[in-house]
Amino acid sequence: MKTLGIVNQKGGVGKTTTAINLAAYLAAGGRRVLLIDMDPQGNATSGLGLRGVEAGLYEALSQPERAAELIAETGQERLSVLPATPDLAGAGVELTDEPYALRELLGRVSGFDVVIIDAPPSLGPLTINVLAAADALLIPLQAEYYALEGLAGLTETVERVREALNPGLKVLGVAITMFDGRTNLAQEVEQSVRAHFGELVFWSVVPRNVRLSEAPSFAKPINQFAPLSSGAAAYKRLAEEVMQRVEKI
């Protein structure tokens, strides 16, 4: 079982969209996938059609032995989710001195090929737990200047976590999202990211796409909502790249 954290401390970069759609395409490709919603906003949970959930990740973190019973099935074969509830917001305080709570929870989970964790848009205790538990990280990066600025802070945090908590942590890659090829800025950001990070940057680039924006309101991943859209094609290619890299870990 490989664990992949989807992490970026900046909000609005397509992090949850990436987590949902990567999970969906990996499941469609035959892998048994667990998506863990570590964000108290619960967008990955609702984006997969789970609403009004009474118990989920918060309870599993405090009672790891309950992890298996709290995992919910989705409308897609081989894709399960450990949902977020509003209570998860309180876990940020409770986990301040417990960076390995999520790792312990994952030790109670079996039967999956890949675990994808949607981290919150911050570098607080919840995200530190993701970094301490993951085998590798995927960093979604919006093709805009401010998103590029924030990447330096994240890479520094990853380095500190490697030294203190998780020596084996790898950066699987950087995925450029919300790309508008009509603008010079987007192209300049892509060039800068590729020049700095080289082969870490995935070749698959996710465009700005109306259908991707609409899919969450229908509580479906893009492969079910609009499988012929440009956004669907981009995430299918990205999932193939991700799996090639994951298999080498």
Side-chain angles (χ1 to χ4, degrees):
M1 188 173 77
K2 301 296 185 183
T3 302
L4 179 60
I6 312 297
V7 178
N8 193 322
Q9 81 273 25
K10 188 178 186 305
V13 299
K15 181 179 55 61
T16 298
T17 298
T18 297
I20 288 174
N21 291 304
L22 273 183
Y25 272 109
L26 292 177
R31 278 93 180 176
R32 186 80 174 84
V33 181
L34 173 63
L35 175 59
I36 296 180
D37 190 352
M38 198 79 177
D39 187 345
Q41 297 177 82
N43 291 333
T45 299
S46 61
L48 286 172
L50 279 75
R51 302 182 189 279
V53 177
E54 294 183 358
L57 180 57
Y58 177 78
E59 288 74 17
L61 287 168
S62 57
Q63 305 171 65
E65 67 279 4
R66 294 186 61 198
E69 73 181 71
L70 294 168
I71 293 172
E73 298 306 313
T74 68
Q76 181 172 332
E77 189 178 0
R78 293 182 296 275
L79 176 56
S80 305
V81 62
L82 186 48
T85 61
D87 290 338
L88 188 59
V93 176
E94 296 170 15
L95 296 179
T96 300
D97 297 318
E98 296 185 36
Y100 293 120
L102 181 58
R103 180 186 289 190
E104 182 182 349
L105 186 159
L106 289 174
R108 306 294 188 100
V109 172
S110 62
F112 296 96
D113 301 307
V114 183
V115 176
I116 292 178
I117 310 169
D118 183 28
S122 70
L123 290 177
L126 291 172
T127 298
I128 296 302
N129 261 263
V130 175
L131 299 181
D135 296 310
L137 306 176
L138 185 151
I139 303 171
L141 179 72
Q142 184 181 4
E144 291 186 0
Y145 177 73
Y146 287 124
L148 186 59
E149 264 195 337
L151 199 54
L154 177 58
T155 53
E156 289 173 8
T157 300
V158 170
E159 202 53 50
R160 290 198 297 270
V161 168
R162 275 199 194 108
E163 294 172 1
L165 300 172
N166 187 0
L169 181 64
K170 297 176 175 60
V171 175
L172 192 74
V174 176
I176 297 174
T177 61
M178 305 172 78
F179 182 83
D180 187 345
R182 299 169 299 178
T183 68
N184 290 333
L185 176 60
Q187 295 178 38
E188 289 169 5
V189 169
E190 180 182 11
Q191 290 170 7
S192 296
V193 173
R194 293 193 186 280
H196 186 74
F197 290 98
E199 294 182 355
L200 273 180
V201 185
F202 293 100
W203 286 110
S204 304
V205 173
V206 179
R208 283 193 177 276
N209 179 248
V210 172
R211 305 301 269 168
L212 279 174
S213 301
E214 293 174 338
S217 64
F218 289 86
K220 291 181 178 180
I222 195 65
N223 67 328
Q224 293 183 355
F225 178 67
L228 300 180
S229 65
S230 61
Y235 273 115
K236 183 177 182 181
R237 290 192 300 269
L238 181 60
E240 291 168 354
E241 275 195 85
V242 165
M243 215 50 234
Q244 289 172 5
R245 297 191 188 189
V246 166
E247 287 171 352
K248 295 177 181 178
I249 296 175

